[in-house]
Amino acid sequence: MQLQVMNSPFNQEQTELLNRLLPTLTETQSLWLSGYLAAIQSSTLQAAPAVEERPAPAAAPAIPKEVTILFGSQTGNAQNLAKKAGKTLEERGFQVNVSAMSDFKPNNLKKVKNLLIVVSTHGEGDPPDNALTFHEFIHGKRAPKLEDFRYSVLALGDSSYEFFCQTGKDFDKRLEEIGGTRITPRVDCDLDFEEPAAVWAEAVLAGLSDGESSSPSPSAASFSASAHAESVYSRSNPFRAEVLENINLNGRGSNKETRHLEISLEGSGLTYQPGDSLGVYPENDPKLVDLLLAEMNWDPEEAVRVKEETVTLKEALSSHFEITVLTKPLVEKAANLSGNEELHQLALDSSRLKSYIDGRDLIDLVRDFKPWSSSAQEFVSILRKMPARLYSISSSFEANPDEVHLTIGAVRYDAHGRERKGVCSILCAERLQPGDTLPVFIQHNENFKLPENPETPIIMVGPGTGIAPFRSFMQEREEKGAEGKSWLFFGDQHFVTDFLYQTEWQKWLKDGVLSKLDVAFSRDDDEKVYVQHRMQENSRELFQWLEQGAAVYICGDEKNMAHDVHNTLIDIIEKEGGMSREQAAEYLADMQKNKRYQRDVY
């Protein structure tokens, strides 16, 4: 909203200054400013002279020292933040219990006095897999009415999605409805979550420490420090890794291009386990950067500030900021910078805005709503930091010491009259050569792991690049001599050109490392066949494996494949187990609770 003299308590000069400043603030800066102003107000009230003497108020009741932290996490970010927050609270003297929502008994909620929720939002506003049961309980009729209960929510999300941080918002609202009082307001984090998460952690510490002794509370800086104590290299301090190999896995004539990258971790001290991901910080396409500079008539060598660093405008647009995705917050900030009335109206109309940003990028925005009178510094200040891309690791560290392998599908498509390209996938496909380096970090994912017992059978479903983690599974099991049965369902378009890592799978099958292989190539016959069809064809044997304790792993596209495979599993359990639909769904839910049904979906 644009401030005016008529709709605010500020004079003309103040409103002009605020209208220039507010759109340029990052989410972290806005949170800090809100807290700063609240602190000033509080100090002013405390410093005001007393009008009359009154009896001293009764001492506030002591705040319990026990804190429960529940996390709902799909890729591991929320889990890692929850554990780090727990460690910081323990250092402050609190007794902390950190648990996945799926491992927490809902009936114990009545016993909790201080609850911290750290949760991501998955897909179109959905809870992550390990938060489903608790989310359903808390929003159901069995949720208890709570007394003397305090809580706070840290929500993780992606502002390019319509239902940004929706799961965190759901928990925050519902906990208030059933009697909770906020320790500190909910914080919604975008992909660049570390700074706002640290601000939230500091506010939680302050809220929990009210009325305690005046020993110093850990600051946001100390929270960040503890967050990265395990390794020198991390999301905020990536390792510059050399590319050893970059190979196209698809055969000539394929409609796809899938890159196999082998990257050196030598000297980094980084390690990983099967199921973990590698985070990569890419650079924008130089042609796209040049196009944006020309469109805005900016000097590429102009100096701009990026946090505490001064870089050229071209470097900032190349390496520091996202320019290929439009989000609702970005368009709203751009509207505040612009005098274009049409853009202002678009930002206010949620339905039109959702339609406009779909498939468009920053080039489209600056072309459609020019002229722009803002400076380059003002404009880049509203852009979102370049987010890391997470890729499922397709190698075993045991089998490939000091190396990490990735399987990346090149993304190219046309939209709104222009060719569009995936930022990281096309960097890898078109510009990355052996000898070049990439900034990388390891993203540990405890929600997608091989069974602890190597004799446990496993069933893997991974079409296309979803094959990646299962290659790491097989390398690991071969290296360790695991004797449990294994079954892979793989699918793609054509057998001849798109059977990724074909010779490796056939060798594992021959050597007995892989027990069973079923493939589905959708474009080889008149009738399209997908992995779920192969599962249906083998329904009796598949259910026998489940009854024998097999763990099921799904990797790949969530919106279509993972959804269809999930329903297929319920179909098979219903049919072969002689169950009702509800019983079959409960059977699969129990598997998920017992970590026998795990998904790495995107």
Side-chain angles (χ1 to χ4, degrees), residues 227-405:
H228 305 301
E230 301 95 343
S231 173
V232 174
Y233 297 104
S234 63
R235 175 184 287 268
S236 59
N237 181 35
F239 175 66
R240 199 84 200 183
E242 181 181 354
V243 177
L244 304 173
E245 294 283 354
N246 187 350
I247 302 165
N248 183 7
L249 293 175
N250 296 96
R252 183 175 298 177
S254 174
N255 297 321
K256 296 186 172 184
E257 181 179 358
T258 309
R259 309 305 299 193
H260 170 78
L261 266 64
E262 298 183 3
I263 299 170
S264 173
L265 296 178
E266 188 174 359
S268 69
L270 293 170
T271 61
Y272 59 88
Q273 295 180 334
D276 288 343
S277 297
L278 188 76
V280 179
Y281 284 107
E283 292 186 355
N284 286 310
D285 187 338
K287 294 179 181 177
L288 202 62
V289 173
D290 290 342
L291 193 60
L292 180 58
L293 289 166
E295 197 69 39
M296 297 294 282
N297 196 27
W298 282 334
D299 177 6
E301 300 303 313
E302 179 180 345
V304 293
R305 294 283 293 173
V306 180
K307 291 190 175 179
E308 287 76 39
E309 187 180 1
T310 299
V311 298
T312 66
L313 179 57
K314 185 166 186 176
E315 182 182 345
L317 294 174
S318 297
S319 305
H320 292 272
F321 295 112
E322 182 177 63
I323 64 174
T324 58
V325 175
L326 291 182
T327 66
K328 181 180 179 181
L330 173 59
V331 175
E332 289 172 343
K333 291 175 183 177
N336 285 331
L337 278 183
S338 169
N340 190 304
E341 182 58 29
E342 186 182 352
L343 180 55
H344 279 275
Q345 293 304 315
L346 176 65
L348 294 171
D349 188 331
S350 296
S351 178
R352 282 183 57 216
L353 180 56
K354 179 184 176 183
S355 176
Y356 177 79
I357 64 179
D358 184 29
R360 288 187 169 90
D361 62 14
L362 197 58
I363 298 289
D364 297 307
L365 183 72
V366 300
R367 282 178 172 173
D368 291 344
F369 299 101
K370 50 184 171 182
W372 298 86
S373 57
S374 54
S375 68
Q377 180 67 68
E378 288 173 327
F379 200 91
V380 299
S381 294
I382 70 172
L383 300 181
R384 186 165 72 165
K385 178 184 174 182
M386 175 73 80
R389 270 58 174 179
L390 292 179
Y391 294 103
S392 302
I393 293 173
S394 56
S395 58
S396 158
F397 192 81
E398 292 287 329
N400 304 274
D402 286 333
E403 285 187 18
V404 61
H405 301 174

Side-chain angles (χ1 to χ4, degrees), residues 408-426:
I408 302 176
V411 176
R412 300 181 179 92
Y413 60 97
D414 290 324
H416 306 291
R418 279 178 45 219
E419 182 185 17
R420 315 286 167 152
K421 298 180 177 181
V423 177
C424 195
S425 68
I426 300 305

Side-chain angles (χ1 to χ4, degrees), residues 181-238:
T181 301
R182 292 179 183 85
I183 299 167
T184 189
R186 184 190 76 246
V187 170
D188 297 335
C189 302
D190 206 346
L191 297 178
D192 184 19
F193 56 77
E194 286 188 320
E195 285 188 19
V199 171
W200 173 81
E202 185 176 22
V204 165
L205 281 163
L208 288 173
S209 301
D210 283 347
E212 293 189 344
S213 63
S214 58
S215 57
S217 297
S219 65
S222 69
F223 176 78
S224 295
S226 69
H228 305 301
E230 301 95 343
S231 173
V232 174
Y233 297 104
S234 63
R235 175 184 287 268
S236 59
N237 181 35

